[in-house]
Amino acid sequence: MEALRIILSGGGTGGHIFPAVAIANEVKKMHPEANVLFVGAIGKMEMEKVPAAGYKIIGISIAGLQRKFTFSNFKLPFLLIKSYFQTKKIISDFNPHVVVGTGGFASGPILKAANAKNIPTLIHEGNSYAGLTNKLLGKKVNKVCVAYRNMENYFPKEKILITGNPIRQDLFDITSKRKEAHDFFKLDSTKKTILVIGGSLGARTINEAIAGGLEQIIKEDFQLIWQTGKGYFSVAKEKTEIYSVKGIFAFDFISKMDLAYAASDLVISRAGASSISEICVIGKPCILVPSPNVAEDHQTKNARALQNNQAAVLITDAEANTKLIVAAIELLKDSTKLESLSKNCAKLAFPNATKTIATEVLKLANLTN
């Protein structure tokens, strides 16, 4: 049988990159001989994170449309033309059986090039509000995998399959990794730990709230694993290092997220689709602080879905500086509430999402087992 050739594209943020990597890993698990190629945007984080995951990536000259006036938007037509020829060559050289997009502007040109050659295509939309690239592609692709119901407003109903969001394989069964996690982060297993993840690029409001609440966290004798993103890391490192107490750590990026989750008793996070899906699968109590700087305020809609099921505490971005630390401390002192949030969160999980999507990819390639 001919080995599967698959192109995956998704980038700009971890919310697009890591689902694509999860799909690639699952496809390789089902078909070890599969040849996987990623396509990303030159200069964006996928050009670093995808090779770190063990996959080849080709960069194309593309950028997103800025929602406010900027001169960089004038370059966009030229970049689109250039990326069209780049992706046309990639498709011709690699000759994929199927092309998969997980969102982000890099996926637009490569899926359009695949459609032009009648190569089967699939997109995954993880949010409750479809991104611009996916909305434009939805009419042409063969299959649309989604994480939320009622997505017919954005995509043809007959193409939609509700799958949930792909989850990295190492996040399953994190309970067994708790001791390893405490050792890895040099934490005291008798103390409760807060994990803060503002997304792969960080979150200014969450970072400022945590920085302002460090003394309260230490006073309560809680521990902290704080992922800041690159932009705030130097400030956070300076603030955490002035305290002589153990168990307060800042990182610009956490590569061992399975161990970070395993060590935590409470997660504070933005409400991006990937983060929510991961939190649900691992069943961790969480406080969600939706980013206000996203299309159609979709992170608030994502968070409300959990809040309405008593599966998360929602604090708005505007309230974070005054309410976030207080809410976190109150929660960590309430074991009953923590357990309730954990159970309700786990009920909303799609633990088989990655396998379901990978199976659809193989169906399109006519290579299902």
Side-chain angles (χ1 to χ4, degrees):
M1 182 188 291
E2 186 180 7
L4 169 66
R5 294 182 301 280
I6 172 176
I7 290 178
L8 292 112
S9 182
T13 69
H16 293 142
I17 299 164
F18 296 127
V21 170
I23 294 169
N25 289 342
E26 188 64 29
V27 167
K28 288 286 283 183
K29 185 178 171 184
M30 298 166 82
H31 278 267
E33 78 289 351
N35 192 358
V36 177
L37 174 68
F38 279 75
V39 172
I42 293 171
K44 294 300 181 181
M45 68 182 294
E46 57 264 30
M47 302 306 294
E48 175 189 344
K49 301 303 179 189
V50 169
Y55 293 103
K56 181 182 177 181
I57 185 167
I58 297 176
I60 60 172
S61 306
I62 188 64
L65 177 68
Q66 302 300 311
R67 296 180 187 275
K68 59 184 178 182
F69 177 80
T70 171
F71 286 104
S72 64
N73 280 339
F74 290 109
K75 297 180 183 177
L76 190 57
F78 302 100
L79 292 176
L80 286 170
I81 293 168
K82 187 174 182 179
S83 65
Y84 168 76
F85 287 105
Q86 288 173 325
T87 53
K88 193 175 177 184
K89 185 176 189 310
I90 292 168
I91 292 290
S92 178
D93 291 347
F94 192 71
N95 192 24
H97 291 95
V98 60
V99 177
V100 178
T102 56
F105 44 80
S107 62
I110 193 70
L111 269 88
K112 281 187 66 104
N115 287 331
K117 296 275 285 184
N118 293 316
I119 293 166
T121 50
L122 177 149
I123 58 173
H124 175 265
E125 177 54 65
N127 286 299
S128 57
Y129 176 86
L132 178 61
T133 301
N134 276 352
K135 276 196 286 188
L136 293 173
L137 292 169
K139 295 172 185 175
K140 297 286 187 181
V141 299
N142 298 84
K143 182 66 69 172
V144 181
C145 296
V146 300
Y148 290 84
R149 300 187 185 280
N150 304 315
M151 296 296 284
E152 292 85 358
N153 293 334
Y154 311 111
F155 305 115
K157 186 177 180 180
E158 68 276 8
K159 295 182 179 181
I160 294 174
L161 178 67
I162 300 173
T163 60
N165 284 315
I167 299 295
R168 289 171 280 185
Q169 195 64 35
D170 62 3
L171 296 184
F172 291 95
D173 191 30
I174 62 164
T175 307
S176 65
K177 300 179 181 180
R178 193 160 170 87
K179 184 185 183 304
E180 180 189 354
H182 284 135
D183 292 343
F184 181 82
F185 287 104
K186 298 180 175 61
L187 299 170
D188 185 337
S189 61
T190 66
K191 297 180 181 180
K192 288 185 177 175
T193 302
I194 302 169
L195 170 63
V196 179
I197 44 173
S200 53
L201 302 177
R204 181 178 58 83
T205 310
I206 294 178
N207 284 333
E208 289 176 353
I210 297 300
L214 278 176
E215 286 192 15
Q216 290 169 272
I217 293 170
I218 291 166
K219 184 181 175 182
E220 295 291 343
D221 207 19
F222 295 136
Q223 300 176 123
L224 176 68
I225 301 172
W226 180 13
Q227 178 180 287
T228 64
K230 288 184 179 178
Y232 200 82
F233 178 61
S234 59
V235 176
K237 192 168 186 289
E238 186 180 327
K239 287 184 178 292
T240 54
E241 286 182 346
I242 64 172
Y243 296 102
S244 59
V245 295
K246 294 180 179 179
I248 304 292
F249 300 105
F251 305 90
D252 59 343
F253 181 79
I254 300 172
S255 58
K256 294 280 190 180
M257 275 307 299
D258 57 328
L259 298 185
Y261 280 128
S264 68
D265 298 281
L266 174 68
V267 179
I268 296 173
S269 174
R270 283 302 200 198
S274 286
S275 296
I276 285 183
S277 296
E278 289 179 356
I279 291 166
C280 287
V281 165
I282 64 175
K284 286 285 178 178
C286 65
I287 299 175
L288 299 174
V289 186
S291 170
N293 307 311
V294 292
E296 299 296 314
D297 197 23
H298 69 256
Q299 284 204 8
T300 297
K301 293 169 185 173
N302 292 348
R304 291 242 182 262
L306 268 71
Q307 183 191 46
N308 293 340
N309 286 279
Q310 292 78 50
V313 172
L314 192 162
I315 292 179
T316 68
D317 195 74
E319 297 171 329
N321 271 313
T322 56
K323 294 185 177 180
L324 182 57
I325 295 299
V326 174
I329 289 171
E330 283 181 0
L331 257 180
L332 283 171
K333 290 181 175 180
D334 188 344
S335 297
T336 304
K337 180 71 171 175
L338 286 173
E339 187 177 350
S340 173
L341 287 172
S342 179
K343 286 181 178 177
N344 292 334
C345 192
K347 290 176 185 175
L348 301 177
F350 284 91
N352 297 317
T354 314
K355 186 172 184 179
T356 304
I357 296 167
T359 300
E360 289 300 314
V361 172
L362 295 175
K363 281 182 184 176
L364 287 175
N366 291 319
L367 285 169
T368 45
N369 288 325

